[in-house]
Amino acid sequence: TGVGMGGITPITYSLVSDIFREDNRAKAAAGITVAWAIGILMGPSLAGYLTDDYGWRIGFILAAAPNFPLAVLFWFVAKEPTRGASDGAVRAAAPDPASGRPNLRISFADIRKVLRNQTNRAIYLQGLFGTIPWGVTGFWAISYFEETAGLSKSQATTVQNLVGLGAIIGTVVFGILGDRLYRKRPRNVPL
């Protein structure tokens, strides 16, 4: 699951860049991040609030159940976006005469250039080795609060949810701020 989540993250943000123009991408990315954060909070919450009364399996059942009707709905409603349709550089590229789409090809030289960048390599390594600890932290924190602070499981879950709520609020605020910074000057995005 950790490797899958590590792999789906760049794909998701790539889709966001296909669907949303540059001046709205930070908010769209923040929306995706908030949706993930809510999902990540739900798993430990289900476990923390329900396992004492209903056993450890209930969290898995309740977390998985909505996915089945959502997958069917997604199959019928979702459309594959045109790659790069919302990217200004792609729109400005000359169209391919055969397909009419922008003529953008990725070569092995492009891939080598990306992989030579030390920052990119650090990000890839963090993603590969970081997905498991980052994914486990929320579950571990509940046990930590139970054992070291003497909180009940539901109290420890509430503390962890407050931390998660802070992360969600920060994501929304900085998503809005990111779009404003981009509109002011595109070079401000890393801020």
Side-chain angles (χ1 to χ4, degrees):
T1 301
V3 172
M5 289 304 294
I8 200 168
T9 302
I11 293 169
T12 301
Y13 289 114
S14 175
L15 288 171
V16 166
S17 68
D18 289 338
I19 297 168
F20 295 93
R21 291 187 180 273
E22 294 94 336
D23 56 348
N24 288 315
R25 273 193 202 140
K27 278 190 295 222
I32 294 288
T33 304
V34 165
W36 280 343
I38 290 170
I40 290 168
L41 281 175
M42 292 302 295
S45 295
L46 291 169
Y49 294 130
L50 300 176
T51 53
D52 286 341
D53 294 329
Y54 300 102
W56 63 271
R57 291 177 181 92
I58 191 70
F60 290 99
I61 294 167
L62 293 176
N67 291 298
F68 295 103
L70 286 172
V72 172
L73 178 67
F74 196 81
W75 178 268
F76 289 108
V77 174
K79 303 275 188 265
E80 180 75 22
T82 303
R83 302 298 294 158
S86 295
D87 195 313
V90 173
R91 287 192 311 270
D96 179 33
S99 68
R101 293 183 176 182
N103 190 8
L104 297 172
R105 304 264 188 249
I106 297 175
S107 68
F108 285 111
D110 295 329
I111 294 169
R112 280 194 305 271
K113 184 177 177 183
V114 168
L115 293 176
R116 282 186 189 138
N117 182 295
Q118 188 173 4
T119 302
N120 290 343
R121 287 195 310 263
I123 290 170
Y124 299 145
L125 285 172
Q126 181 281 142
L128 182 62
F129 297 107
T131 53
I132 293 173
W134 286 114
V136 171
T137 300
F139 293 94
W140 171 82
I142 294 170
S143 296
Y144 175 80
F145 292 136
E146 277 184 278
E147 292 176 20
T148 60
L151 300 176
S152 70
K153 188 177 290 187
S154 63
Q155 290 171 327
T157 301
T158 300
V159 170
Q160 176 59 22
N161 285 346
L162 291 173
V163 171
L165 181 62
I168 289 171
I169 291 169
T171 299
V172 170
V173 168
F174 284 100
I176 293 167
L177 182 62
D179 281 344
R180 288 184 181 164
L181 286 170
Y182 180 86
R183 285 187 195 113
K184 194 178 244 183
R185 186 172 169 218
R187 293 182 65 184
N188 288 339
V189 169
L191 294 176

